[in-house]
Amino acid sequence: AHGRRCHRQRDREQEQGQGSGPGPARPQPPEPSLLRFLVCPLSKRPLRYEEATNELINEELGIAYPIIDGIPNMVPEAARMTHKKPPAEGSEQP
């Protein structure tokens, strides 16, 4: 019972710490232990978590995967291009 009470108290503190006003909640980062195992589905390379945009960044391909409610959306169609021009390699191929 003690553990449950502490958990509820922690949830309450997190809710209060969400910033001022009724605006949208602060972006929820993914679990740090999860980040170690995540790789880009296209290049199979590690991803970098960008706190400012709450995205997982693949520097090599110049794409960013959004994180929704702490869950990375690793679908290539959901990725956003971060580079102005596409990489020289033929990344257009299916």
Side-chain angles (χ1 to χ4, degrees):
H2 177 70
R4 209 177 308 141
R5 189 172 59 83
C6 284
H7 188 69
R8 238 179 302 171
Q9 185 178 349
R10 196 174 64 216
D11 285 347
R12 216 174 306 124
E13 287 168 7
Q14 284 178 344
E15 285 168 24
Q16 290 169 351
Q18 291 290 334
S20 58
R26 211 175 49 224
Q28 191 181 340
E31 197 63 44
S33 57
L34 182 70
L35 284 178
R36 287 204 308 262
F37 301 104
L38 293 178
V39 296
C40 176
L42 298 173
S43 70
K44 308 292 187 274
R45 304 288 281 236
L47 295 161
R48 177 177 63 80
Y49 173 59
E50 179 57 62
E51 197 174 352
T53 56
N54 199 38
E55 294 173 318
L56 291 175
I57 311 288
N58 179 331
E59 305 279 5
E60 189 183 12
L61 295 180
I63 53 179
Y65 296 98
I67 298 170
I68 295 113
D69 294 329
I71 300 163
N73 186 350
M74 311 273 293
V75 181
E77 287 76 21
R80 170 180 75 80
M81 298 301 289
T82 59
H83 289 330
K84 299 284 181 280
K85 56 176 193 258
E89 300 161 356
S91 58
E92 310 299 311
Q93 295 162 3

